[in-house]
Amino acid sequence: MGAYTKEINRRRTFAIISHPDAGKTTLTEKFLLYGGAINLAGSVKGKATARHAVSDWMEIEKERGISVTSSVLQFEYDGFCINILDTPGHQDFSEDTYRTLMAADSAVMVIDANKGVEPQTRKLFKVCAMRGIPIFTFINKLDRDVDDMFALLDEIESELGIATCPINWPIGSGKAFQGVYDREKECIYKFTDTEKGTKEGAVTEVSVSDRDGLVNLIGENATDILLDEIELLDGASAEFDLSRVHAGKLTPVFFGSALTNFGVEEFLKHFLDMTTTPLSRVADCGEIIPDEHDFSAFVFKIQANMNKNHRDRIAFMRICSGKFDATKEVRHVQGGKTLRLSQPQQIMANERKILEEAYAGDIIGVFDPGIFSIGDTVCAPKENFRYAGIPTFAPEHFARVRQVDTMKRKQFVKGINQIAQEGAIQIFQEFNSGMEEVIVGVVGVLQFDVLKYRMENEYNVEIRLENLPYEHIRWIENKEIDLNKIVGTSDMKKVCDLKGNPLLLFVNSWSIGMTLDRNKDLVLSEFGTAE
Ligand code: G4P
């Protein structure tokens, strides 16, 4: 047992993934409420108040027109130290959202019971599935009528390709939503109405073998329906198997309503129990076990110019092993230097706290004088290993960039390259051409505005963006293939990235299929390989 095993083992670091409006913010706020991290009573209602308390920082950045960030929330609950990585949605969606997932050990997927699997959930799920991390499903908004719960499970299985195992089952929905049936304990929990924004009220528990007790509690009709559904469920759903959950092959499913607090604390308890302690990570020297190694971390995000007065950058690091001690020096492996991390902070929503120490599982933000890149490793001075890098995620929006004043060529090239190196945008060149034709790709369209703003403000170069119709990009896995010989559709474009990797741009997914059909030996990938 390592010196920090106890601290590390009580950490749970996860991201909440969902499509906008499924209830991620509401659920996060309820978690914070249970942890006592915020005094929520009355403040949950209304987007204008509590909602923005947790994302103020993002708002500020948005107003200033610069890159929007995901924040990290840390709180204590029942002896656990919980780190929630916030993944911004809506128009804030960017490559950073995906990168944030690289720092998580598991994910909570929130699904609106009436909407099912939506596009953004699908995209975020794919990244989690690529990493094989455990994914827990919370089906939300049961306080609204839901037609067919079984169909919803089928949809998750067929759309996402993951087996589902309901841990509990809702008793009714909409106004008739009374509580949940706990499959392991074989009893029901009936919720009592609570005031919004307060903790869950008293819960009454009755075993399902006690039919009279059930009828008394939830009524005859609900009892009959529930007993039928339990039978169906036992016949149809996958067996619970924690090792499959940990391998990302089976998702435990929970039902509830974040708004009314129903089922939220049950979910949190089960989730904390089932999810993993900080995971080991692979480095070039092998696997790094969190409580057996000295301090190590990797940079998963770089936030430029967070402070208007100082053009500083913050590098966000996920601690992978050991203990971070602010008084000690660390090695920045890629930079080949030993240094003391400057102003280590824990970034909690709109509040920042200077840190003295942190443990594997935690996220810290450090002042970056421009030395860190995404994917860099930081470790104890006596060590010298590198963590596997962070893949590049496929942009979905593309534009051709032109500088307005052609005399400013140098600044243009410098600016666009630096911003790309920070990871805010990806740049591509036409196959067989130089920097004359620059194509920029982004995951979320807001990044185009960020690029324009930063080029003007930081590099004094005015640019013009001309939208391109491409929506899909694929990296060519078998790089030895002769790019000239690839026969694609007429709307396909051959480009290469900053590192010279060959890629193909497509207008629609049909063209991808067609191109694969026409070039049998071509292997395409949705993720660019990490360095
Ligand atoms: P997001 O972060 O995933 O985008 O979702 P968010 O929590 O902001 O919730 C989106 C909307 O859904 C909000 O309503 C919120 O109140 C509502 N909501 C969240 N959980 C539940 C639930 O369990 N049941 C029901 N019925 N609604 C839920 P809004 O009208 O957009 O905002 P507000 O003015 O109510 O805050």
Side-chain angles (χ1 to χ4, degrees):
M1 185 151 144
Y4 314 118
T5 304
K6 212 171 140 212
E7 273 304 325
I8 295 171
N9 280 355
R10 67 185 200 93
R11 275 163 167 77
R12 300 289 183 274
T13 304
F14 63 96
I16 305 189
I17 60 172
S18 67
H19 191 80
D21 277 347
K24 180 171 65 82
T25 314
T26 313
L27 188 68
T28 308
E29 284 170 355
K30 296 302 162 80
F31 286 168
L32 294 180
L33 170 74
Y34 292 128
I38 48 171
N39 179 7
L40 213 56
S43 65
V44 197
K45 308 170 211 149
K47 279 191 172 161
T49 53
R51 173 81 44 83
H52 285 197
V54 267
S55 57
D56 258 354
W57 182 27
M58 282 165 39
E59 287 301 310
I60 294 162
E61 283 168 358
K62 235 190 294 178
E63 272 164 31
R64 301 210 332 253
I66 61 158
S67 154
V68 175
T69 183
S70 347
S71 50
V72 184
L73 302 162
Q74 188 182 61
F75 66 98
E76 298 269 335
Y77 175 82
D78 202 16
F80 292 101
C81 175
I82 299 168
N83 294 302
I84 302 186
L85 292 150
D86 188 20
T87 51
H90 296 267
Q91 73 275 38
D92 314 339
F93 199 74
S94 73
E95 209 173 336
D96 273 348
T97 313
Y98 291 136
R99 290 190 192 114
T100 297
L101 296 178
M102 308 310 280
D105 295 317
S106 66
V108 167
M109 176 165 73
V110 183
I111 289 181
D112 180 332
N114 269 300
K115 302 232 174 98
V117 178
E118 296 177 87
Q120 202 155 296
T121 318
R122 203 173 293 125
K123 287 183 203 168
L124 294 164
F125 177 90
K126 255 192 209 170
V127 176
C128 296
M130 170 195 76
R131 289 192 53 215
I133 57 172
I135 298 166
F136 296 81
T137 305
F138 183 78
I139 299 194
N140 193 27
K141 304 198 185 182
L142 263 292
D143 57 308
R144 291 190 180 156
D145 290 328
V146 184
D147 277 350
D148 186 349
M149 235 73 75
F150 286 98
L152 193 55
L153 294 183
D154 283 347
E155 187 183 333
I156 295 172
E157 301 214 346
S158 61
E159 290 256 342
L160 303 177
I162 189 167
T164 59
C165 176
I167 303 299
N168 60 25
W169 190 255
I171 304 167
S173 65
K175 285 203 172 64
F177 181 43
Q178 303 200 57
V180 289
Y181 161 64
D182 185 311
R183 295 184 67 204
E184 193 199 2
K185 295 199 179 115
E186 298 190 347
C187 67
I188 67 156
Y189 295 97
K190 181 177 155 92
F191 307 128
T192 52
D193 226 346
T194 57
E195 269 180 53
K196 275 187 192 172
T198 62
K199 282 200 190 190
E200 214 160 79
V203 173
T204 318
E205 184 181 330
V206 168
S207 161
V208 280
S209 56
D210 173 10
R211 190 185 152 86
D212 291 346
L214 282 185
V215 172
N216 262 338
L217 198 63
I218 58 172
E220 183 134 21
N221 190 29
T223 301
D224 288 341
I225 295 174
L226 177 68
L227 294 177
D228 279 354
E229 288 184 339
I230 292 174
E231 212 177 300
L232 254 177
L233 202 56
D234 291 344
S237 78
E239 286 273 311
F240 181 74
D241 174 346
L242 194 60
S243 63
R244 287 188 73 211
V245 172
H246 284 182
K249 303 269 183 250
L250 176 70
T251 180
V253 180
F254 300 81
F255 295 83
S257 158
L259 190 68
T260 58
N261 285 350
F262 288 176
V264 175
E265 197 161 20
E266 275 88 4
F267 170 63
L268 182 60
K269 282 185 177 151
H270 277 288
F271 165 69
L272 291 172
D273 199 36
M274 291 177 185
T275 190
T276 65
T277 54
L279 294 174
S280 299
R281 304 248 164 182
V282 179
D284 55 1
C285 63
E287 193 178 349
I288 306 293
I289 299 170
D291 61 347
E292 289 181 10
H293 263 83
D294 280 346
F295 167 75
S296 71
F298 72 89
V299 178
F300 65 93
K301 194 173 78 144
I302 290 183
Q303 182 68 46
N305 292 12
M306 296 207 331
N307 184 334
K308 206 174 185 176
N309 301 320
H310 315 97
R311 284 190 164 181
D312 60 2
R313 313 202 304 181
I314 299 270
F316 286 82
M317 298 180 184
R318 151 80 199 227
I319 304 179
C320 301
S321 63
K323 176 187 176 183
F324 168 70
D325 179 343
T327 62
K328 291 197 176 141
E329 293 208 304
V330 297
R331 175 192 300 278
H332 172 217
V333 179
Q334 278 77 359
K337 284 205 173 82
T338 304
L339 61 139
R340 187 163 298 163
L341 293 178
S342 183
Q343 300 172 22
Q345 305 166 47
Q346 189 175 39
I347 317 254
M348 307 245 308
N350 52 350
E351 176 194 319
R352 301 187 201 173
K353 200 169 74 183
I354 295 286
L355 276 177
E356 315 260 289
E357 55 180 53
Y359 296 88
D362 292 340
I363 311 295
I364 55 171
V366 303
F367 172 73
D368 171 21
I371 56 170
F372 293 115
S373 297
I374 286 162
D376 281 4
T377 301
V378 175
C379 57
K382 66 176 167 52
E383 309 252 28
N384 198 359
F385 60 80
R386 289 165 193 238
Y387 279 110
I390 292 182
T392 315
F393 300 97
E396 289 174 24
H397 307 275
F398 298 86
R400 188 170 281 126
V401 197
R402 293 223 166 84
Q403 65 202 102
V404 174
D405 178 357
T406 46
M407 298 299 283
K408 292 187 174 165
R409 186 79 200 146
K410 247 188 171 163
Q411 289 103 301
F412 172 75
V413 173
K414 182 178 165 201
I416 207 129
N417 274 299
Q418 279 187 353
I419 295 171
Q421 262 156 21
E422 272 170 25
I425 54 161
Q426 289 181 46
I427 53 176
F428 308 98
Q429 286 155 34
E430 289 237 28
F431 180 57
N432 280 344
S433 95
M435 279 293 277
E436 289 81 50
E437 270 276 298
V438 179
I439 294 172
V440 53
V442 294
V443 170
V445 282
L446 185 72
Q447 298 307 110
F448 282 144
D449 298 340
V450 171
L451 174 66
K452 238 172 148 324
Y453 178 93
R454 291 191 55 191
M455 286 297 284
E456 266 168 45
N457 285 276
E458 291 172 36
Y459 301 93
N460 202 18
V461 180
E462 203 184 326
I463 57 166
R464 203 167 286 143
L465 293 163
E466 179 195 321
N467 288 334
L468 294 169
Y470 308 105
E471 286 182 11
H472 304 272
I473 188 163
R474 291 291 180 272
W475 277 264
I476 297 173
E477 291 268 289
N478 44 341
K479 290 180 193 164
E480 66 286 353
I481 202 165
D482 184 352
L483 215 56
N484 290 308
K485 294 212 174 114
I486 296 174
V487 192
T489 49
S490 60
D491 52 10
M492 185 192 86
K493 195 172 183 70
K494 297 173 187 173
V495 294
C496 48
D497 66 13
L498 267 183
K499 294 167 203 145
N501 295 317
L503 299 108
L504 301 175
L505 294 179
F506 298 96
V507 172
N508 52 41
S509 46
W510 178 84
S511 300
I512 304 176
M514 201 63 192
T515 304
L516 283 169
D517 266 359
R518 288 180 184 166
N519 304 272
K520 292 292 178 207
D521 49 351
L522 182 65
V523 186
L524 299 177
S525 157
E526 262 184 78
F527 302 106
T529 43
E531 284 301 285

